[in-house]
Amino acid sequence: MKKRLLYVLSLVFMWVLVSGFTVEDDDGREKYYVGNMQCLRPYVAILDEINDEYGTDFVIPNATLLPGITIDEQSLITYYTSIGIDGFKEFIIENYVKNNKKESVSEDAGIAPAVFNGRQYAYFSNGNALYIDTAMYTVNGVDYYSKVSNYGDSIKSYPAYVAREDGFSYAFLEGYRKVDCKFSCYLFLNPTLQAAVTARTIRLEFTAGEGNIYPSV
């Protein structure tokens, strides 16, 4: 019986270490920072200091609130860690307290980078293109990707590469500054004639905020 109890307790302890734990504020509101989000706890502590000092109610969007915003967990971590813990308090005060002290702060206001959508094209010599639709955000004047939401082709003339519906993959590089995309495409000689049965993989690299690219394919 003792061995079984110790085994259960050890499992619970390991679960706490891996998944994180819950912090409850004095007002009863719960903040969840679990898994990778635990690295943001020092930032949470600084926000609590600011809230006490200025009467604000700032909170970093957490695992509970994330479904309500268009930014994934890793992008949120990248955003805050790129600011750096040393200058974080000054950054928040300058950008969100002093500049907005005349505006009311809503309860449970979350501080997150403003996300904007964009489309970037890879233009070929004949005017045709492949493209990606993305969500991006800006930190200290530098744009970062949040996600790639869609992809496709833009055909003006033939021959043309046509992107397969199920033939796309991507990976973020350099801390979400760039995205490496692989398009699986069929080459069409005209709208009714396909050049080959097999598809060709076209690899393209885009950079957030730097517009279209012009690869030599």
Side-chain angles (χ1 to χ4, degrees):
M1 185 67 179
K2 275 188 176 181
K3 288 184 178 180
R4 190 170 185 179
L5 179 60
L6 288 173
Y7 176 72
V8 172
L9 289 175
S10 65
L11 288 179
V12 171
F13 179 70
M14 289 300 296
W15 179 85
V16 170
L17 286 179
V18 173
S19 64
F21 51 92
T22 299
V23 175
E24 185 171 319
D25 290 343
D26 293 337
D27 63 2
R29 184 181 62 207
E30 292 181 334
K31 300 176 183 177
Y32 294 86
Y33 300 97
V34 298
N36 293 333
M37 293 283 280
Q38 291 189 73
C39 68
L40 297 182
R41 287 184 177 277
Y43 296 86
V44 174
I46 291 177
L47 279 185
D48 288 341
E49 291 178 11
I50 294 173
N51 290 337
D52 291 340
E53 186 175 349
Y54 293 94
T56 53
D57 197 23
F58 295 140
V59 57
I60 296 176
N62 50 58
T64 303
L65 301 177
L66 278 175
I69 63 174
T70 57
I71 183 172
D72 60 51
E73 182 179 282
Q74 185 55 52
S75 295
L76 195 65
I77 293 171
T78 301
Y79 170 72
Y80 279 98
T81 54
S82 67
I83 297 173
I85 194 66
D86 292 337
F88 181 63
K89 185 172 183 178
E90 181 181 354
F91 173 81
I92 295 297
I93 292 172
E94 289 295 324
N95 289 277
Y96 295 98
V97 177
K98 288 185 178 180
N99 293 341
N100 299 281
K101 59 185 178 181
K102 293 184 179 179
E103 299 178 7
S104 59
V105 179
S106 61
E107 186 176 356
D108 294 340
I111 299 176
V115 177
F116 58 94
N117 298 319
R119 172 172 289 186
Q120 289 175 282
Y121 290 89
Y123 283 106
F124 306 120
S125 58
N126 59 359
N128 295 334
L130 296 172
Y131 68 82
I132 56 173
D133 291 330
T134 66
M136 293 174 280
Y137 59 96
T138 303
V139 179
N140 296 331
V142 180
D143 292 330
Y144 296 87
Y145 289 111
S146 171
K147 67 177 180 179
V148 176
S149 57
N150 195 21
Y151 71 97
D153 53 61
S154 175
I155 298 174
K156 305 294 183 182
S157 62
Y158 289 88
Y161 285 108
V162 178
R164 290 174 49 200
E165 289 186 5
D166 58 347
F168 178 76
S169 63
Y170 66 93
F172 291 115
L173 307 172
E174 298 182 17
Y176 284 68
R177 276 286 293 139
K178 297 184 178 182
V179 60
D180 178 38
C181 301
K182 293 180 181 179
F183 294 82
S184 180
C185 302
Y186 291 118
L187 178 62
F188 278 74
L189 302 179
N190 64 48
T192 62
L193 182 61
Q194 189 172 324
V197 175
T198 57
R200 175 183 176 181
T201 298
I202 299 177
R203 190 169 183 173
L204 302 169
E205 185 177 286
F206 297 88
T207 302
E210 295 193 7
N212 304 319
I213 61 174
Y214 300 85
S216 56
V217 177

